[in-house]
Amino acid sequence: MRCSSWDCSAAPDAEPSLTGADHHRILVREHYGVRILEAVSHLIKSPCISVAYHACLTVVSYCRGGNVCENCLVPIDKELTSSLVGSLLAALRSGPLSVDLTIPNSAAEGSLTVLVRAIGAVACLADASGEEFLPHY
């Protein structure tokens, strides 16, 4: 499986390698992770369902690591999520996880979908943070 500029088709114990003209790894999470997650925590609370939906997917993608490849076996460092778990969970609680599905047409407008994405974001945060997530249960 090939994806963007990283080669994720190598054996699980091999390091991902860059292909093409790129000659060094781009460590986006390590350099910009706090900024990304802070911005996403604000977007999660958006009243626009589409924005909240994509913000939840961003959390999932960020926590899974793997440089846009599924199952690349490249876990992210717990330190990249542990400092912002509380604010992300607060944003999820006040945003998508507070959706009232008893309102007529809310499911048809996408509220149910964003609720499912928010639950997935919580699960990925818990998985990525490991034991650092325990106080939030």
Side-chain angles (χ1 to χ4, degrees), residues 10-120:
D13 58 340
E15 289 288 318
S17 62
L18 294 170
T19 59
D22 298 327
H23 298 290
H24 62 289
R25 284 185 68 160
I26 301 170
L27 304 173
V28 173
R29 286 176 185 84
E30 288 80 354
H31 294 294
Y32 306 105
V34 172
R35 287 190 214 167
I36 291 169
L37 292 179
E38 285 174 348
V40 167
S41 72
H42 294 291
L43 295 172
I44 285 173
K45 298 181 281 188
S46 174
C48 177
I49 289 181
S50 180
V51 172
Y53 172 89
H54 284 93
C56 290
L57 285 178
T58 301
V59 171
V60 170
S61 176
Y62 183 93
C63 291
R64 284 189 177 164
N67 299 317
V68 305
C69 294
E70 201 171 315
N71 299 322
C72 275
L73 303 174
V74 183
I76 64 169
D77 292 330
K78 293 176 185 174
E79 293 79 32
L80 295 176
T81 56
S82 61
S83 65
L84 291 168
V85 168
S87 64
L88 286 167
L89 288 175
L92 287 162
R93 270 192 306 272
S94 65
L97 292 177
S98 66
V99 168
D100 184 2
L101 294 177
T102 62
I103 297 172
N105 295 328
S106 64
E109 294 172 0
S111 295
L112 181 60
T113 305
V114 77
L115 176 64
V116 170
R117 292 297 178 211
I119 293 168

